[in-house]
């Protein structure tokens, strides 16, 4: 895929050098300091890849909760050098920026504006840099998600479905995009403007139930069925193949674990303290499932309200999903940060307000990290303070989401561009 503009090439070059520098620094810190730079999951990935090269199941490695495909991709960690996986994740990181740039250009953004959005929110953002250079695989999922949106908005439904099936197989959270994608595809089928207000017919408009009924009935069109069939086939083929190789362990650790997971270790989630206190209770499992209800309700509302702009809808989906999830760690923030470049041109907000929101976001993390440090490294019992900081961080994230929605203005040129395709 050609880069296309010198500005983006320079940004990619700077981003590559920064990430390679962090990878090299990580090798030094891992060997010289007690606290390792490399993510603990990267050692898990490498151990699982080693098991695969020996013809054994990657799930013989404790805490490996991922698709076997990841272990297969990282077998060069064993055959070549252990740093291979980090370089692969860095490559995926940069490729995600290229896809985001092309998506912005397709949506009508000027070359300079598209390059600036990608550089500011992704390429030169310290968080994605750290995540990929520490050996976390989130960049590969980000690449697949961005490719899905790029192909959907370009009308390549089959290619989008393949990327989507792979994305869901890698991580379950993109499954939440199914409804907005279906609604977006049906709106294009009905003429580009959307569902009921300018849709294929005018029946059942007068009640909210009628609105929903008309909205969902119209999803049964060729594009939606093609997308569902192809994505489902990709996901099913991978599932059947890996189940044949690794049996129930694959289903349990790659899929089911993430649906029933109740992580009682400290994290940003507002639910962590409740799950910690009720870990031995008979209600623990039910409480864990009940925690999904606020997510589901908010995701449904956002899907219906914003599906016409698929990138904006998926950004809100991911930000809400992460903020209200039962488990929330810093690497999860990458899930919605990768979509930030696509929505920046549509959020008409002053630089002052934007910087203030960014400052609040970092302050919220800092207030959480302080008691977390004393718990993890000093052994102090700061669970209550961590939980209170997590609630404050949830409030800050919710405030930021509301601000983004209130300053969202879908540009006419974007609508025109997408309608012509």
């Amino acid at each position: 895929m050609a880069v296309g503009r010198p500005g983006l090439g320079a940004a990619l070059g700077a981003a590559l050098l920064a990430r390679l520098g962090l990878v090299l620094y990580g090798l030094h810190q891992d060997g010289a300091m007690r606290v390792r730079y490399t993510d603990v999951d990267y050692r898990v990935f490498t151990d699982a890849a080693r098991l695969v090269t020996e013809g054994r199941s990657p799930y013989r490695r404790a805490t490996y909760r991922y698709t076997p495909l990841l272990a297969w991709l990282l077998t060069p960690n064993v055959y070549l050098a252990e740093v291979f996986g980090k370089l692969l994740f860095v490559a995926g990181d940069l490729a995600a920026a290229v896809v985001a740039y092309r998506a912005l250009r397709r949506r009508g953004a000027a070359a300079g504006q598209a390059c600036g959005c990608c550089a500011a929110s992704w390429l030169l953002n310290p968080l994605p840099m750290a995540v990929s250079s520490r050996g976390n695989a989130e960049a590969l999922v980000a690449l697949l998600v961005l490719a899905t949106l790029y192909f959907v908005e370009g009308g390549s439904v089959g290619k989008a479905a393949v990327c989507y099936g792979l994305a869901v197989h890698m991580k379950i959270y993109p499954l939440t995009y199914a409804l907005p994608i279906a609604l977006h595809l049906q709106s294009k089928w009905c003429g580009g403007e959307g569902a009921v207000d300018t849709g294929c017919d005018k029946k059942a408009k007068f009640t909210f139930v009628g609105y929903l009924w008309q909205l969902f009935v119209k999803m049964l069109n060729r594009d939606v069925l093609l997308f569902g069939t192809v994505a489902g086939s990709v996901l099913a083929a991978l599932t059947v193949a890996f189940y044949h190789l690794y049996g129930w362990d694959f289903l349990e650790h790659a899929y089911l674990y993430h649906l029933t997971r109740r992580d009682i270790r400290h994290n940003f989630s507002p639910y962590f303290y409740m799950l910690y206190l009720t870990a031995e209770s008979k209600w623990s499992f039910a409480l864990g499932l009940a925690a999904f209800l606020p997510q589901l309700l908010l995701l449904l509302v956002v899907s219906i309200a914003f599906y016409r702009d698929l990138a904006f809808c998926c950004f809100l989906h991911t930000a809400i999903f992460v903020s209200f999830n039962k488990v929330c760690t810093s690497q999860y923030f990458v899930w919605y940060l990768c979509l930030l470049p696509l929505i920046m041109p549509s959020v008409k907000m002053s630089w002052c307000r934007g910087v203030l929101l960014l400052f609040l976001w970092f302050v919220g993390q800092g207030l959480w990290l302080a008691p977390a440090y004393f718990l993890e490294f000093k052994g102090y019992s700061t669970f209550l303070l961590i939980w209170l900081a997590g609630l404050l961080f949830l409030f800050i994230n919710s405030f930021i989401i509301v601000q983004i929605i209130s300053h969202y203005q879908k540009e006419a040129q974007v609508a025109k561009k997408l309608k012509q395709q």
Side-chain angles (χ1 to χ4, degrees), residues 192 215 314:
L215 195 65
C314 289

Side-chain angles (χ1 to χ4, degrees), residues 95-150:
V98 174
V99 176
Y101 173 84
R102 286 188 167 269
L104 279 167
R105 297 288 287 132
R106 172 175 282 167
R107 291 164 65 85
Q113 183 186 36
C115 180
C117 291
C118 293
S121 59
W122 186 257
L123 286 173
L124 304 182
N125 187 328
L127 183 58
M129 284 187 191
V131 167
S132 59
S133 63
R134 293 183 68 223
N136 194 286
E138 303 301 337
L140 299 183
V141 184
L143 173 60
L144 290 170
V145 167
L146 285 166
T148 299
L149 302 185
Y150 176 79

Side-chain angles (χ1 to χ4, degrees), residues 49 52 68-77 84-85 88-89 140 170:
V52 167
L69 184 59
L70 183 58
W72 287 17
L73 287 173
L74 297 186
T75 51
N77 279 21
F84 171 84
L88 175 65
F89 300 154
L140 299 183
M170 293 286 290

Side-chain angles (χ1 to χ4, degrees), residues 56-382:
R56 295 191 287 170
S57 168
Y59 300 107
R60 292 177 65 89
R61 177 37 163 111
T63 72
Y64 185 77
R65 317 287 190 186
Y66 311 92
T67 168
L69 184 59
L70 183 58
W72 287 17
L73 287 173
L74 297 186
T75 51
N77 279 21
V78 180
Y79 292 128
L80 300 177
E82 194 169 318
V83 75
F84 171 84
K86 292 184 179 182
L87 299 179
L88 175 65
F89 300 154
V90 165
D93 192 345
L94 300 180
V98 174
V99 176
Y101 173 84
R102 286 188 167 269
L104 279 167
R105 297 288 287 132
R106 172 175 282 167
R107 291 164 65 85
Q113 183 186 36
C115 180
C117 291
C118 293
S121 59
W122 186 257
L123 286 173
L124 304 182
N125 187 328
L127 183 58
M129 284 187 191
V131 167
S132 59
S133 63
R134 293 183 68 223
N136 194 286
E138 303 301 337
L140 299 183
V141 184
L143 173 60
L144 290 170
V145 167
L146 285 166
T148 299
L149 302 185
Y150 176 79
F151 286 127
V152 167
E153 293 191 338
S156 301
V157 178
K159 294 178 181 178
V162 171
C163 292
Y164 183 71
L166 286 169
V168 174
H169 177 73
M170 293 286 290
K171 287 281 187 179
I172 290 182
Y173 84 87
L175 188 63
T176 66
Y177 302 156
L179 179 57
I181 289 174
L183 291 173
H184 183 79
L185 288 175
Q186 69 85 23
S187 70
K188 294 179 72 173
W189 182 266
C190 289
E193 291 298 328
V196 177
D197 40 351
T198 59
C200 298
D201 59 55
K202 300 290 184 178
K203 297 179 181 178
K205 276 184 69 169
F206 303 104
T207 67
F208 181 69
V209 174
Y211 176 91
L212 294 180
W213 174 254
Q214 190 174 4
L215 195 65
F216 290 113
V217 164
K218 289 178 182 178
M219 286 195 296
L220 301 178
N221 61 60
R222 186 187 65 190
D223 284 348
V224 175
L225 293 177
L226 173 63
F227 185 90
T229 301
V230 175
S233 298
V234 170
L235 184 60
L238 290 169
T239 300
V240 170
F242 286 129
Y243 179 77
H244 175 73
L245 291 172
Y246 304 117
W248 178 257
D249 283 346
F250 158 66
L251 294 180
E252 180 182 2
H253 294 292
Y255 294 146
L256 301 179
Y257 168 80
H258 300 283
L259 296 176
T260 60
R261 180 181 181 184
R262 300 184 306 281
D263 196 335
I264 61 174
R265 294 175 298 176
H266 58 287
N267 61 83
F268 287 98
S269 173
Y271 300 111
F272 113 84
Y273 196 46
M274 176 190 72
L275 297 176
Y276 170 76
L277 294 176
T278 61
E280 303 300 326
S281 169
K282 64 179 181 180
W283 298 103
S284 178
F285 181 77
L287 289 172
L289 292 179
F292 283 120
L293 295 178
Q295 282 178 314
L296 293 176
L297 178 61
L298 290 170
L299 295 181
L300 178 62
V301 172
V302 166
S303 296
I304 295 174
F306 295 105
Y307 66 87
R308 293 176 185 85
D309 187 346
L310 185 58
F312 187 74
C313 187
C314 289
F315 172 84
L316 294 179
H317 253 244
T318 316
I320 290 170
F321 182 86
V322 170
S323 299
F324 288 86
N325 201 31
K326 293 185 298 181
V327 181
C328 179
T329 63
S330 295
Q331 69 192 45
Y332 291 11
F333 303 156
V334 174
W335 296 356
Y336 57 81
L337 285 177
C338 70
L339 298 171
L340 186 58
L342 302 186
I343 72 163
M344 287 179 68
S346 300
V347 179
K348 305 302 182 182
M349 183 183 298
S350 68
W351 278 102
C352 182
R353 185 182 295 269
V355 170
L356 176 61
L357 294 179
L358 182 63
F359 175 74
L360 288 175
W361 190 65
F362 279 115
V363 166
Q365 293 179 66
L367 292 175
W368 182 92
L369 287 170
Y373 168 82
F374 283 103
L375 171 66
E376 189 165 346
F377 292 99
K378 300 296 183 180
Y380 298 161
S381 180
T382 58

